[in-house]
């Protein structure tokens, strides 16, 4: 089904763009954490490929695309080199990076859901793996950097919710046999716009009702 949505060359190009932008975010965090060049490369690779690697291992798509396609492995290294030498300039374009990151989020939640369904998973499981594809690399990045994953922090703009919405739209389209290039594009754009709106208006998920925790809040 995935190959019916986009031509192989278009799909590959979109994947590489998403991987590159995710790798930039990982490499920038490594620089902020004062990691060496190896640490920068590792965080770039993990951020870019972690979600897709997790999905492929779960569904049995082995060897995973991260290892069977050299372009998938090289692209994060190119991002790491760029950040290593030009991180002040990259930091100044953070808003643009965030926009492309939102686009990658929308793309990967859709392709992840579709690929999981192609390998025989049910709709709910497929949507869950679509979410994991989109956000898994970021979770691994934060864990390796010894931070609470952004996905779990109340003081960060919504990230998982747009991916959940995109994956759910795909699952519903599959259920009603309406998944095609147009509807999958709609799912990508919806997740993308939700993420942009969350960043613009600082939308955040609610915390526990009537919360009275004495734990100090982080800034």
């Amino acid at each position: 089904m995935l190959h019916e949505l986009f031509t192989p060359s278009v799909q590959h190009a979109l994947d590489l763009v998403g991987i590159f932008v995710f790798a930039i975010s990982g490499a920038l965090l490594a620089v902020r954490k004062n990691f060496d060049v190896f640490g920068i490369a590792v965080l770039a690779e993990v951020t870019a490929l972690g979600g897709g690697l997790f999905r492929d291992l779960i569904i049995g798509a082995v060897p995973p695309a991260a290892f069977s396609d050299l372009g998938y492995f090289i692209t994060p290294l190119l991002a790491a080199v760029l950040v290593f030498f030009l991180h002040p300039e990259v930091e100044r374009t953070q808003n643009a990076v965030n926009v492309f990151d939102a686009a990658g989020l929308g793309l990967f939640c859709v392709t992840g859901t579709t690929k999981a369904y192609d390998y025989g998973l049910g709709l709910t499981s497929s949507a869950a793996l679509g979410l994991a594809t989109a956000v898994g690399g970021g979770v691994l990045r934060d864990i390796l950097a010894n931070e609470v994953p952004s996905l779990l922090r109340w003081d960060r703009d919504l990230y998982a919710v747009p991916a959940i919405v995109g994956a759910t739209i795909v699952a519903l389209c599959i259920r009603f046999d309406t998944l095609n290039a147009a509807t999958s594009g709609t799912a990508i754009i919806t997740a993308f716009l939700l993420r942009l709106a969350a960043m613009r208006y600082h939308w955040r998920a609610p915390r526990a009702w009537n919360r009275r925790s004495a734990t100090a809040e982080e800034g």
Side-chain angles (χ1 to χ4, degrees):
M1 182 181 296
L2 184 57
H3 64 275
E4 297 174 354
L5 301 180
F6 307 103
T7 65
S9 59
V10 170
Q11 177 64 45
H12 191 256
L14 291 173
D15 282 347
L16 291 181
V17 170
I19 286 170
F20 183 81
V21 175
F22 280 180
I24 289 286
S25 70
L28 284 175
L29 179 59
V31 170
R32 296 186 195 113
K33 288 286 186 175
N34 204 29
F35 288 5
D36 63 14
V37 63
F38 181 74
I40 294 171
V42 167
L43 234 58
E45 290 281 356
V46 166
T47 308
L49 303 177
L53 181 61
F54 174 79
R55 176 205 61 214
D56 288 351
L57 291 175
I58 292 294
I59 64 180
V62 291
F67 293 99
S68 60
D69 188 320
L70 187 61
Y72 285 11
F73 184 79
I74 295 297
T75 299
L77 294 181
L78 295 177
V81 170
L82 176 68
V83 171
F84 181 81
F85 288 106
L86 300 174
H87 61 88
E89 288 75 14
V90 176
E91 287 277 13
R92 284 197 287 270
T93 63
Q94 186 63 55
N95 288 337
V97 171
N98 287 340
V99 170
F100 283 107
D101 181 86
L105 180 80
L107 172 67
F108 287 162
C109 73
V110 170
T111 58
T113 302
T114 308
K115 186 171 183 178
Y117 186 78
D118 282 345
Y119 275 78
L121 270 65
L123 293 178
T124 301
S125 299
S126 296
L129 276 185
L131 169 64
T133 304
V135 306
V139 171
L140 292 174
R141 172 201 64 205
D142 292 343
I143 290 173
L144 288 177
N146 198 30
E147 290 196 347
V148 176
S150 299
L151 192 70
L152 305 179
R153 294 185 56 170
W154 72 270
D155 58 339
R156 298 296 173 88
D157 302 331
L158 292 178
Y159 196 79
V161 171
I164 291 171
V165 171
T168 300
I169 291 173
V170 173
L172 290 174
C173 288
I174 293 173
R175 170 65 179 81
F176 294 105
D177 197 26
T178 58
L179 187 65
N180 51 46
T183 54
S184 62
T186 299
I188 292 170
I189 292 171
T190 300
F192 171 63
L193 292 178
L194 280 176
R195 173 58 180 160
L196 290 185
M199 291 189 294
R200 172 66 177 83
Y201 299 107
H202 302 297
W203 292 344
R204 293 167 183 171
R207 289 183 286 172
W209 180 257
N210 204 22
R211 175 180 174 273
R212 292 192 176 91
S213 172
T215 304
E217 296 182 350
E218 297 183 27

